[in-house]
Amino acid sequence: MTSNAPRPTLDQEAVSEHFTTATRRRTPTALWTALTDIPVLLADNRRLASLLTNARAEFANLLAAARATVHADDDGEPDPMSYLRDEVAAHDPIDEDGR
């Protein structure tokens, strides 16, 4: 996992263990424990879908700005990099070290 990857909000190993126990034992307690994981899994799925949607939108905006920059340069515009600068400025500010 990279430092930019979303942090897990649930213990996947525990969820897997609950499911395995429920399928093996089939006791009411084991089945109920596995069932209570479903809302947590659904919430995490919604969270991850939202993060993916945001990442795709940011990528699309940056790609559009890059394409606009290339076309503006081809058309001889005086400041073609303005498209990229504007889009990058919409993200986290860059510090003095360029990070």
Side-chain angles (χ1 to χ4, degrees):
M1 183 172 6
T2 68
S3 62
N4 293 332
R7 300 210 186 281
T9 59
L10 59 93
D11 184 350
Q12 292 181 0
E13 188 176 318
V15 170
S16 180
E17 186 178 315
H18 295 162
F19 177 73
T20 301
T21 301
T23 57
R24 287 185 182 155
R25 294 186 185 164
R26 297 185 188 273
T27 63
T29 301
L31 292 170
W32 183 252
T33 301
L35 281 174
T36 60
D37 289 332
I38 292 172
V40 178
L41 289 167
L42 291 173
D44 202 45
N45 188 51
R46 283 190 297 272
R47 181 183 71 88
L48 293 172
S50 176
L51 289 171
L52 178 61
T53 299
N54 290 340
R56 285 180 171 169
E58 286 184 18
F59 172 80
N61 289 340
L62 288 168
L63 181 59
R67 287 180 174 159
T69 298
V70 169
H71 290 296
D73 186 52
D74 290 345
D75 292 343
E77 287 189 29
D79 187 18
M81 291 297 289
S82 65
Y83 297 100
L84 276 176
R85 273 194 298 278
D86 291 345
E87 188 58 36
V88 170
H91 296 279
D92 292 332
I94 298 173
D95 64 15
E96 293 139 9
D97 295 331
R99 290 183 249 149

